[in-house]
Amino acid sequence: MKPGHHAAPSDPARAGSRLSRLGGRSAVIGVPYLWLLLFFLLPFAVVMKIAVSQMGAVHPEDVVTWQDGVLTLALKFGNFATIAGDPLYLQSYLRSIEYAAATTALCLFIGYPFAYFMARAKPSVQPALLMLVMLPFWTSFLLRAYAWKGLLSPNGWVHDLMVGTGLDQVLVALGFVPAPGQLMNTPFSLVLGMTYTYLPFMVLPLYSTLAKMDLRLLEAAQDLGATPWVAFWTVTVPLSKAGIIAGSMLVFIPCIGEYVVPELLGGPETLMIGRVIWDELFFNNDWPMASALAVLMILLIIVPLAFFQRYQAQSQERRR
């Protein structure tokens, strides 16, 4: 071997290095897929199995039976046909989407200015603002919902304040409450409770996106003659689109299947799909119908997730 020359790696060494990289990549990719398999696909398969089974005296019957050398597969799809033909179930789904969309819009309307203020605050103040956003999580979810029940009931200070200022009359005119002073068990109390509950899930993604924004882009827009309002709509809002979508998904998806807040703050006219599933499972003891409703709700949730994943993939392609 001549001086100054290095020996090329042997083929076994190259193969071992390649296998090591492939193994590391497979482990990184395989762990999330294994997590989804164990905690999403398998439970979903169990629920789907119950949804197409026949309800017995105590528990659902097996869909696969072996008797006298004959393998029988009995699938019942009548529950899905019942859901499609019963206005109660369809209205519950539509009402759930309606209230979830209203809650998402309110959270965005309230959370965006707060997240913007947090991102533009002094670095020494930002940790305290973040703590204020996460402070409600230190209290039980159930206690917070019960607190709003007391605040909106007669003699509660929020109720008395709204009645004293005439805001309840405005809510009556908008159709949010049926009568003046009746704030509880209405669409208003339901949306208010869910907005309060899920507002931090909107603020945190927005803050994370706005804090990383390059402020020199705003300076460039102002140098080109754009007013602060025009610069906000043409620069800040488009650059924060990822945070808006992420926060909207984090609010909209759990709101569809919400049960606790509608149970405590809602009423008969605010019946959502989470309460319908509860009634079918625990009051009617109809496991297959409850499972069929849950399967359709999961599919309803997967649709916006698919759009979000598609948006992320398109954004990554544009950056490349």
Side-chain angles (χ1 to χ4, degrees), residues 250-274:
L250 289 174
V251 174
F252 181 80
I253 290 174
C255 280
I256 290 181
E258 180 61 48
Y259 170 76
V260 175
V261 176
E263 177 68 15
L264 295 178
L265 302 180
E269 69 278 5
T270 60
L271 184 65
M272 296 177 64
I273 194 61

mmCIF file with all atom_site columns, all heavy atoms in Angstrom, residues 250-274:
data_model
loop_
_atom_site.group_PDB
_atom_site.id
_atom_site.type_symbol
_atom_site.label_atom_id
_atom_site.label_alt_id
_atom_site.label_comp_id
_atom_site.label_asym_id
_atom_site.label_entity_id
_atom_site.label_seq_id
_atom_site.pdbx_PDB_ins_code
_atom_site.Cartn_x
_atom_site.Cartn_y
_atom_site.Cartn_z
_atom_site.occupancy
_atom_site.B_iso_or_equiv
_atom_site.pdbx_formal_charge
_atom_site.auth_seq_id
_atom_site.auth_comp_id
_atom_site.auth_asym_id
_atom_site.auth_atom_id
_atom_site.pdbx_PDB_model_num
ATOM 1   N N   . LEU A 1 250 ? -57.190 20.290 17.501 1.00 0.00 ? 250 LEU A N   1
ATOM 2   C CA  . LEU A 1 250 ? -57.137 19.911 18.915 1.00 0.00 ? 250 LEU A CA  1
ATOM 3   C C   . LEU A 1 250 ? -58.413 20.284 19.664 1.00 0.00 ? 250 LEU A C   1
ATOM 4   O O   . LEU A 1 250 ? -58.743 19.661 20.678 1.00 0.00 ? 250 LEU A O   1
ATOM 5   C CB  . LEU A 1 250 ? -55.933 20.566 19.589 1.00 0.00 ? 250 LEU A CB  1
ATOM 6   C CG  . LEU A 1 250 ? -54.550 20.032 19.203 1.00 0.00 ? 250 LEU A CG  1
ATOM 7   C CD1 . LEU A 1 250 ? -53.447 20.865 19.841 1.00 0.00 ? 250 LEU A CD1 1
ATOM 8   C CD2 . LEU A 1 250 ? -54.407 18.573 19.606 1.00 0.00 ? 250 LEU A CD2 1
ATOM 9   N N   . VAL A 1 251 ? -59.129 21.277 19.181 1.00 0.00 ? 251 VAL A N   1
ATOM 10  C CA  . VAL A 1 251 ? -60.385 21.682 19.815 1.00 0.00 ? 251 VAL A CA  1
ATOM 11  C C   . VAL A 1 251 ? -61.572 20.949 19.196 1.00 0.00 ? 251 VAL A C   1
ATOM 12  O O   . VAL A 1 251 ? -62.434 20.421 19.917 1.00 0.00 ? 251 VAL A O   1
ATOM 13  C CB  . VAL A 1 251 ? -60.577 23.210 19.699 1.00 0.00 ? 251 VAL A CB  1
ATOM 14  C CG1 . VAL A 1 251 ? -61.946 23.626 20.227 1.00 0.00 ? 251 VAL A CG1 1
ATOM 15  C CG2 . VAL A 1 251 ? -59.486 23.942 20.471 1.00 0.00 ? 251 VAL A CG2 1
ATOM 16  N N   . PHE A 1 252 ? -61.618 20.904 17.882 1.00 0.00 ? 252 PHE A N   1
ATOM 17  C CA  . PHE A 1 252 ? -62.790 20.359 17.192 1.00 0.00 ? 252 PHE A CA  1
ATOM 18  C C   . PHE A 1 252 ? -62.965 18.861 17.454 1.00 0.00 ? 252 PHE A C   1
ATOM 19  O O   . PHE A 1 252 ? -64.092 18.400 17.713 1.00 0.00 ? 252 PHE A O   1
ATOM 20  C CB  . PHE A 1 252 ? -62.645 20.620 15.691 1.00 0.00 ? 252 PHE A CB  1
ATOM 21  C CG  . PHE A 1 252 ? -63.804 20.126 14.874 1.00 0.00 ? 252 PHE A CG  1
ATOM 22  C CD1 . PHE A 1 252 ? -64.968 20.867 14.796 1.00 0.00 ? 252 PHE A CD1 1
ATOM 23  C CD2 . PHE A 1 252 ? -63.729 18.930 14.188 1.00 0.00 ? 252 PHE A CD2 1
ATOM 24  C CE1 . PHE A 1 252 ? -66.046 20.419 14.050 1.00 0.00 ? 252 PHE A CE1 1
ATOM 25  C CE2 . PHE A 1 252 ? -64.792 18.468 13.430 1.00 0.00 ? 252 PHE A CE2 1
ATOM 26  C CZ  . PHE A 1 252 ? -65.954 19.225 13.358 1.00 0.00 ? 252 PHE A CZ  1
ATOM 27  N N   . ILE A 1 253 ? -61.879 18.104 17.415 1.00 0.00 ? 253 ILE A N   1
ATOM 28  C CA  . ILE A 1 253 ? -61.991 16.642 17.511 1.00 0.00 ? 253 ILE A CA  1
ATOM 29  C C   . ILE A 1 253 ? -62.539 16.198 18.868 1.00 0.00 ? 253 ILE A C   1
ATOM 30  O O   . ILE A 1 253 ? -63.496 15.426 18.919 1.00 0.00 ? 253 ILE A O   1
ATOM 31  C CB  . ILE A 1 253 ? -60.630 15.996 17.193 1.00 0.00 ? 253 ILE A CB  1
ATOM 32  C CG1 . ILE A 1 253 ? -60.319 16.162 15.699 1.00 0.00 ? 253 ILE A CG1 1
ATOM 33  C CG2 . ILE A 1 253 ? -60.616 14.516 17.563 1.00 0.00 ? 253 ILE A CG2 1
ATOM 34  C CD1 . ILE A 1 253 ? -58.947 15.700 15.305 1.00 0.00 ? 253 ILE A CD1 1
ATOM 35  N N   . PRO A 1 254 ? -61.988 16.640 20.004 1.00 0.00 ? 254 PRO A N   1
ATOM 36  C CA  . PRO A 1 254 ? -62.576 16.184 21.275 1.00 0.00 ? 254 PRO A CA  1
ATOM 37  C C   . PRO A 1 254 ? -63.954 16.763 21.553 1.00 0.00 ? 254 PRO A C   1
ATOM 38  O O   . PRO A 1 254 ? -64.744 16.156 22.282 1.00 0.00 ? 254 PRO A O   1
ATOM 39  C CB  . PRO A 1 254 ? -61.558 16.644 22.325 1.00 0.00 ? 254 PRO A CB  1
ATOM 40  C CG  . PRO A 1 254 ? -60.833 17.771 21.705 1.00 0.00 ? 254 PRO A CG  1
ATOM 41  C CD  . PRO A 1 254 ? -60.777 17.454 20.238 1.00 0.00 ? 254 PRO A CD  1
ATOM 42  N N   . CYS A 1 255 ? -64.270 17.921 20.969 1.00 0.00 ? 255 CYS A N   1
ATOM 43  C CA  . CYS A 1 255 ? -65.587 18.514 21.205 1.00 0.00 ? 255 CYS A CA  1
ATOM 44  C C   . CYS A 1 255 ? -66.699 17.668 20.596 1.00 0.00 ? 255 CYS A C   1
ATOM 45  O O   . CYS A 1 255 ? -67.825 17.658 21.113 1.00 0.00 ? 255 CYS A O   1
ATOM 46  C CB  . CYS A 1 255 ? -65.642 19.930 20.635 1.00 0.00 ? 255 CYS A CB  1
ATOM 47  S SG  . CYS A 1 255 ? -64.884 21.187 21.688 1.00 0.00 ? 255 CYS A SG  1
ATOM 48  N N   . ILE A 1 256 ? -66.419 16.983 19.500 1.00 0.00 ? 256 ILE A N   1
ATOM 49  C CA  . ILE A 1 256 ? -67.459 16.175 18.858 1.00 0.00 ? 256 ILE A CA  1
ATOM 50  C C   . ILE A 1 256 ? -67.962 15.087 19.809 1.00 0.00 ? 256 ILE A C   1
ATOM 51  O O   . ILE A 1 256 ? -69.163 14.846 19.919 1.00 0.00 ? 256 ILE A O   1
ATOM 52  C CB  . ILE A 1 256 ? -66.930 15.563 17.551 1.00 0.00 ? 256 ILE A CB  1
ATOM 53  C CG1 . ILE A 1 256 ? -66.734 16.648 16.500 1.00 0.00 ? 256 ILE A CG1 1
ATOM 54  C CG2 . ILE A 1 256 ? -67.892 14.499 17.019 1.00 0.00 ? 256 ILE A CG2 1
ATOM 55  C CD1 . ILE A 1 256 ? -66.245 16.129 15.172 1.00 0.00 ? 256 ILE A CD1 1
ATOM 56  N N   . GLY A 1 257 ? -67.051 14.416 20.497 1.00 0.00 ? 257 GLY A N   1
ATOM 57  C CA  . GLY A 1 257 ? -67.444 13.337 21.395 1.00 0.00 ? 257 GLY A CA  1
ATOM 58  C C   . GLY A 1 257 ? -67.552 13.740 22.847 1.00 0.00 ? 257 GLY A C   1
ATOM 59  O O   . GLY A 1 257 ? -67.575 12.870 23.725 1.00 0.00 ? 257 GLY A O   1
ATOM 60  N N   . GLU A 1 258 ? -67.632 15.028 23.130 1.00 0.00 ? 258 GLU A N   1
ATOM 61  C CA  . GLU A 1 258 ? -67.696 15.509 24.510 1.00 0.00 ? 258 GLU A CA  1
ATOM 62  C C   . GLU A 1 258 ? -68.947 14.987 25.210 1.00 0.00 ? 258 GLU A C   1
ATOM 63  O O   . GLU A 1 258 ? -70.040 14.965 24.647 1.00 0.00 ? 258 GLU A O   1
ATOM 64  C CB  . GLU A 1 258 ? -67.678 17.038 24.522 1.00 0.00 ? 258 GLU A CB  1
ATOM 65  C CG  . GLU A 1 258 ? -67.732 17.647 25.907 1.00 0.00 ? 258 GLU A CG  1
ATOM 66  C CD  . GLU A 1 258 ? -66.559 17.246 26.776 1.00 0.00 ? 258 GLU A CD  1
ATOM 67  O OE1 . GLU A 1 258 ? -65.417 17.337 26.307 1.00 0.00 ? 258 GLU A OE1 1
ATOM 68  O OE2 . GLU A 1 258 ? -66.818 16.825 27.926 1.00 0.00 ? 258 GLU A OE2 1
ATOM 69  N N   . TYR A 1 259 ? -68.777 14.586 26.465 1.00 0.00 ? 259 TYR A N   1
ATOM 70  C CA  . TYR A 1 259 ? -69.909 14.071 27.249 1.00 0.00 ? 259 TYR A CA  1
ATOM 71  C C   . TYR A 1 259 ? -70.123 14.854 28.539 1.00 0.00 ? 259 TYR A C   1
ATOM 72  O O   . TYR A 1 259 ? -71.251 15.180 28.892 1.00 0.00 ? 259 TYR A O   1
ATOM 73  C CB  . TYR A 1 259 ? -69.688 12.596 27.586 1.00 0.00 ? 259 TYR A CB  1
ATOM 74  C CG  . TYR A 1 259 ? -70.683 12.070 28.598 1.00 0.00 ? 259 TYR A CG  1
ATOM 75  C CD1 . TYR A 1 259 ? -71.991 11.775 28.218 1.00 0.00 ? 259 TYR A CD1 1
ATOM 76  C CD2 . TYR A 1 259 ? -70.322 11.894 29.933 1.00 0.00 ? 259 TYR A CD2 1
ATOM 77  C CE1 . TYR A 1 259 ? -72.915 11.315 29.147 1.00 0.00 ? 259 TYR A CE1 1
ATOM 78  C CE2 . TYR A 1 259 ? -71.234 11.430 30.868 1.00 0.00 ? 259 TYR A CE2 1
ATOM 79  C CZ  . TYR A 1 259 ? -72.529 11.144 30.473 1.00 0.00 ? 259 TYR A CZ  1
ATOM 80  O OH  . TYR A 1 259 ? -73.440 10.693 31.386 1.00 0.00 ? 259 TYR A OH  1
ATOM 81  N N   . VAL A 1 260 ? -69.056 15.177 29.252 1.00 0.00 ? 260 VAL A N   1
ATOM 82  C CA  . VAL A 1 260 ? -69.185 15.767 30.590 1.00 0.00 ? 260 VAL A CA  1
ATOM 83  C C   . VAL A 1 260 ? -69.819 17.155 30.511 1.00 0.00 ? 260 VAL A C   1
ATOM 84  O O   . VAL A 1 260 ? -70.785 17.455 31.237 1.00 0.00 ? 260 VAL A O   1
ATOM 85  C CB  . VAL A 1 260 ? -67.811 15.833 31.276 1.00 0.00 ? 260 VAL A CB  1
ATOM 86  C CG1 . VAL A 1 260 ? -67.917 16.566 32.614 1.00 0.00 ? 260 VAL A CG1 1
ATOM 87  C CG2 . VAL A 1 260 ? -67.254 14.431 31.489 1.00 0.00 ? 260 VAL A CG2 1
ATOM 88  N N   . VAL A 1 261 ? -69.296 18.024 29.653 1.00 0.00 ? 261 VAL A N   1
ATOM 89  C CA  . VAL A 1 261 ? -69.823 19.388 29.575 1.00 0.00 ? 261 VAL A CA  1
ATOM 90  C C   . VAL A 1 261 ? -71.276 19.412 29.108 1.00 0.00 ? 261 VAL A C   1
ATOM 91  O O   . VAL A 1 261 ? -72.113 20.096 29.712 1.00 0.00 ? 261 VAL A O   1
ATOM 92  C CB  . VAL A 1 261 ? -68.924 20.257 28.673 1.00 0.00 ? 261 VAL A CB  1
ATOM 93  C CG1 . VAL A 1 261 ? -69.526 21.658 28.506 1.00 0.00 ? 261 VAL A CG1 1
ATOM 94  C CG2 . VAL A 1 261 ? -67.525 20.363 29.261 1.00 0.00 ? 261 VAL A CG2 1
ATOM 95  N N   . PRO A 1 262 ? -71.664 18.686 28.040 1.00 0.00 ? 262 PRO A N   1
ATOM 96  C CA  . PRO A 1 262 ? -73.097 18.667 27.687 1.00 0.00 ? 262 PRO A CA  1
ATOM 97  C C   . PRO A 1 262 ? -73.977 18.091 28.785 1.00 0.00 ? 262 PRO A C   1
ATOM 98  O O   . PRO A 1 262 ? -75.126 18.520 28.948 1.00 0.00 ? 262 PRO A O   1
ATOM 99  C CB  . PRO A 1 262 ? -73.135 17.780 26.429 1.00 0.00 ? 262 PRO A CB  1
ATOM 100 C CG  . PRO A 1 262 ? -71.775 17.885 25.854 1.00 0.00 ? 262 PRO A CG  1
ATOM 101 C CD  . PRO A 1 262 ? -70.853 18.002 27.023 1.00 0.00 ? 262 PRO A CD  1
ATOM 102 N N   . GLU A 1 263 ? -73.454 17.125 29.542 1.00 0.00 ? 263 GLU A N   1
ATOM 103 C CA  . GLU A 1 263 ? -74.256 16.533 30.611 1.00 0.00 ? 263 GLU A CA  1
ATOM 104 C C   . GLU A 1 263 ? -74.503 17.526 31.736 1.00 0.00 ? 263 GLU A C   1
ATOM 105 O O   . GLU A 1 263 ? -75.607 17.579 32.307 1.00 0.00 ? 263 GLU A O   1
ATOM 106 C CB  . GLU A 1 263 ? -73.548 15.297 31.150 1.00 0.00 ? 263 GLU A CB  1
ATOM 107 C CG  . GLU A 1 263 ? -74.239 14.629 32.330 1.00 0.00 ? 263 GLU A CG  1
ATOM 108 C CD  . GLU A 1 263 ? -75.558 13.982 31.962 1.00 0.00 ? 263 GLU A CD  1
ATOM 109 O OE1 . GLU A 1 263 ? -75.821 13.798 30.753 1.00 0.00 ? 263 GLU A OE1 1
ATOM 110 O OE2 . GLU A 1 263 ? -76.356 13.687 32.869 1.00 0.00 ? 263 GLU A OE2 1
ATOM 111 N N   . LEU A 1 264 ? -73.507 18.341 32.079 1.00 0.00 ? 264 LEU A N   1
ATOM 112 C CA  . LEU A 1 264 ? -73.631 19.268 33.199 1.00 0.00 ? 264 LEU A CA  1
ATOM 113 C C   . LEU A 1 264 ? -74.224 20.613 32.792 1.00 0.00 ? 264 LEU A C   1
ATOM 114 O O   . LEU A 1 264 ? -74.972 21.224 33.561 1.00 0.00 ? 264 LEU A O   1
ATOM 115 C CB  . LEU A 1 264 ? -72.257 19.492 33.845 1.00 0.00 ? 264 LEU A CB  1
ATOM 116 C CG  . LEU A 1 264 ? -71.614 18.272 34.519 1.00 0.00 ? 264 LEU A CG  1
ATOM 117 C CD1 . LEU A 1 264 ? -70.240 18.636 35.065 1.00 0.00 ? 264 LEU A CD1 1
ATOM 118 C CD2 . LEU A 1 264 ? -72.500 17.733 35.630 1.00 0.00 ? 264 LEU A CD2 1
ATOM 119 N N   . LEU A 1 265 ? -73.887 21.110 31.602 1.00 0.00 ? 265 LEU A N   1
ATOM 120 C CA  . LEU A 1 265 ? -74.290 22.458 31.208 1.00 0.00 ? 265 LEU A CA  1
ATOM 121 C C   . LEU A 1 265 ? -75.316 22.485 30.089 1.00 0.00 ? 265 LEU A C   1
ATOM 122 O O   . LEU A 1 265 ? -75.899 23.538 29.836 1.00 0.00 ? 265 LEU A O   1
ATOM 123 C CB  . LEU A 1 265 ? -73.055 23.267 30.769 1.00 0.00 ? 265 LEU A CB  1
ATOM 124 C CG  . LEU A 1 265 ? -71.938 23.406 31.801 1.00 0.00 ? 265 LEU A CG  1
ATOM 125 C CD1 . LEU A 1 265 ? -70.784 24.216 31.234 1.00 0.00 ? 265 LEU A CD1 1
ATOM 126 C CD2 . LEU A 1 265 ? -72.454 24.052 33.073 1.00 0.00 ? 265 LEU A CD2 1
ATOM 127 N N   . GLY A 1 266 ? -75.508 21.359 29.412 1.00 0.00 ? 266 GLY A N   1
ATOM 128 C CA  . GLY A 1 266 ? -76.457 21.325 28.308 1.00 0.00 ? 266 GLY A CA  1
ATOM 129 C C   . GLY A 1 266 ? -77.848 20.932 28.766 1.00 0.00 ? 266 GLY A C   1
ATOM 130 O O   . GLY A 1 266 ? -78.122 20.765 29.959 1.00 0.00 ? 266 GLY A O   1
ATOM 131 N N   . GLY A 1 267 ? -78.726 20.775 27.785 1.00 0.00 ? 267 GLY A N   1
ATOM 132 C CA  . GLY A 1 267 ? -80.109 20.402 28.071 1.00 0.00 ? 267 GLY A CA  1
ATOM 133 C C   . GLY A 1 267 ? -80.639 19.452 27.026 1.00 0.00 ? 267 GLY A C   1
ATOM 134 O O   . GLY A 1 267 ? -79.896 18.942 26.193 1.00 0.00 ? 267 GLY A O   1
ATOM 135 N N   . PRO A 1 268 ? -81.948 19.204 27.033 1.00 0.00 ? 268 PRO A N   1
ATOM 136 C CA  . PRO A 1 268 ? -82.528 18.279 26.050 1.00 0.00 ? 268 PRO A CA  1
ATOM 137 C C   . PRO A 1 268 ? -82.320 18.721 24.612 1.00 0.00 ? 268 PRO A C   1
ATOM 138 O O   . PRO A 1 268 ? -82.170 17.886 23.719 1.00 0.00 ? 268 PRO A O   1
ATOM 139 C CB  . PRO A 1 268 ? -84.014 18.254 26.414 1.00 0.00 ? 268 PRO A CB  1
ATOM 140 C CG  . PRO A 1 268 ? -84.071 18.710 27.842 1.00 0.00 ? 268 PRO A CG  1
ATOM 141 C CD  . PRO A 1 268 ? -82.950 19.679 27.996 1.00 0.00 ? 268 PRO A CD  1
ATOM 142 N N   . GLU A 1 269 ? -82.313 20.036 24.359 1.00 0.00 ? 269 GLU A N   1
ATOM 143 C CA  . GLU A 1 269 ? -82.151 20.509 22.993 1.00 0.00 ? 269 GLU A CA  1
ATOM 144 C C   . GLU A 1 269 ? -80.695 20.536 22.561 1.00 0.00 ? 269 GLU A C   1
ATOM 145 O O   . GLU A 1 269 ? -80.397 20.867 21.409 1.00 0.00 ? 269 GLU A O   1
ATOM 146 C CB  . GLU A 1 269 ? -82.759 21.911 22.838 1.00 0.00 ? 269 GLU A CB  1
ATOM 147 C CG  . GLU A 1 269 ? -82.009 23.025 23.560 1.00 0.00 ? 269 GLU A CG  1
ATOM 148 C CD  . GLU A 1 269 ? -82.371 23.121 25.038 1.00 0.00 ? 269 GLU A CD  1
ATOM 149 O OE1 . GLU A 1 269 ? -83.138 22.258 25.508 1.00 0.00 ? 269 GLU A OE1 1
ATOM 150 O OE2 . GLU A 1 269 ? -81.887 24.041 25.705 1.00 0.00 ? 269 GLU A OE2 1
ATOM 151 N N   . THR A 1 270 ? -79.765 20.215 23.456 1.00 0.00 ? 270 THR A N   1
ATOM 152 C CA  . THR A 1 270 ? -78.340 20.188 23.117 1.00 0.00 ? 270 THR A CA  1
ATOM 153 C C   . THR A 1 270 ? -77.793 18.764 23.194 1.00 0.00 ? 270 THR A C   1
ATOM 154 O O   . THR A 1 270 ? -76.645 18.557 23.557 1.00 0.00 ? 270 THR A O   1
ATOM 155 C CB  . THR A 1 270 ? -77.546 21.107 24.062 1.00 0.00 ? 270 THR A CB  1
ATOM 156 O OG1 . THR A 1 270 ? -77.715 20.665 25.418 1.00 0.00 ? 270 THR A OG1 1
ATOM 157 C CG2 . THR A 1 270 ? -78.006 22.545 23.940 1.00 0.00 ? 270 THR A CG2 1
ATOM 158 N N   . LEU A 1 271 ? -78.619 17.795 22.857 1.00 0.00 ? 271 LEU A N   1
ATOM 159 C CA  . LEU A 1 271 ? -78.202 16.397 22.919 1.00 0.00 ? 271 LEU A CA  1
ATOM 160 C C   . LEU A 1 271 ? -77.129 16.129 21.879 1.00 0.00 ? 271 LEU A C   1
ATOM 161 O O   . LEU A 1 271 ? -77.350 16.299 20.678 1.00 0.00 ? 271 LEU A O   1
ATOM 162 C CB  . LEU A 1 271 ? -79.409 15.481 22.691 1.00 0.00 ? 271 LEU A CB  1
ATOM 163 C CG  . LEU A 1 271 ? -79.145 13.978 22.814 1.00 0.00 ? 271 LEU A CG  1
ATOM 164 C CD1 . LEU A 1 271 ? -78.756 13.623 24.239 1.00 0.00 ? 271 LEU A CD1 1
ATOM 165 C CD2 . LEU A 1 271 ? -80.375 13.182 22.378 1.00 0.00 ? 271 LEU A CD2 1
ATOM 166 N N   . MET A 1 272 ? -75.953 15.687 22.338 1.00 0.00 ? 272 MET A N   1
ATOM 167 C CA  . MET A 1 272 ? -74.831 15.399 21.456 1.00 0.00 ? 272 MET A CA  1
ATOM 168 C C   . MET A 1 272 ? -74.589 13.898 21.413 1.00 0.00 ? 272 MET A C   1
ATOM 169 O O   . MET A 1 272 ? -75.125 13.133 22.213 1.00 0.00 ? 272 MET A O   1
ATOM 170 C CB  . MET A 1 272 ? -73.584 16.157 21.913 1.00 0.00 ? 272 MET A CB  1
ATOM 171 C CG  . MET A 1 272 ? -73.734 17.672 21.827 1.00 0.00 ? 272 MET A CG  1
ATOM 172 S SD  . MET A 1 272 ? -72.299 18.581 22.453 1.00 0.00 ? 272 MET A SD  1
ATOM 173 C CE  . MET A 1 272 ? -71.021 18.067 21.298 1.00 0.00 ? 272 MET A CE  1
ATOM 174 N N   . ILE A 1 273 ? -73.749 13.480 20.484 1.00 0.00 ? 273 ILE A N   1
ATOM 175 C CA  . ILE A 1 273 ? -73.583 12.061 20.216 1.00 0.00 ? 273 ILE A CA  1
ATOM 176 C C   . ILE A 1 273 ? -72.933 11.334 21.387 1.00 0.00 ? 273 ILE A C   1
ATOM 177 O O   . ILE A 1 273 ? -73.185 10.141 21.608 1.00 0.00 ? 273 ILE A O   1
ATOM 178 C CB  . ILE A 1 273 ? -72.765 11.859 18.918 1.00 0.00 ? 273 ILE A CB  1
ATOM 179 C CG1 . ILE A 1 273 ? -72.880 10.410 18.435 1.00 0.00 ? 273 ILE A CG1 1
ATOM 180 C CG2 . ILE A 1 273 ? -71.322 12.278 19.123 1.00 0.00 ? 273 ILE A CG2 1
ATOM 181 C CD1 . ILE A 1 273 ? -74.277 9.995  18.099 1.00 0.00 ? 273 ILE A CD1 1
ATOM 182 N N   . GLY A 1 274 ? -72.117 12.034 22.192 1.00 0.00 ? 274 GLY A N   1
ATOM 183 C CA  . GLY A 1 274 ? -71.508 11.387 23.354 1.00 0.00 ? 274 GLY A CA  1
ATOM 184 C C   . GLY A 1 274 ? -72.556 10.916 24.349 1.00 0.00 ? 274 GLY A C   1
ATOM 185 O O   . GLY A 1 274 ? -72.454 9.806  24.902 1.00 0.00 ? 274 GLY A O   1
#
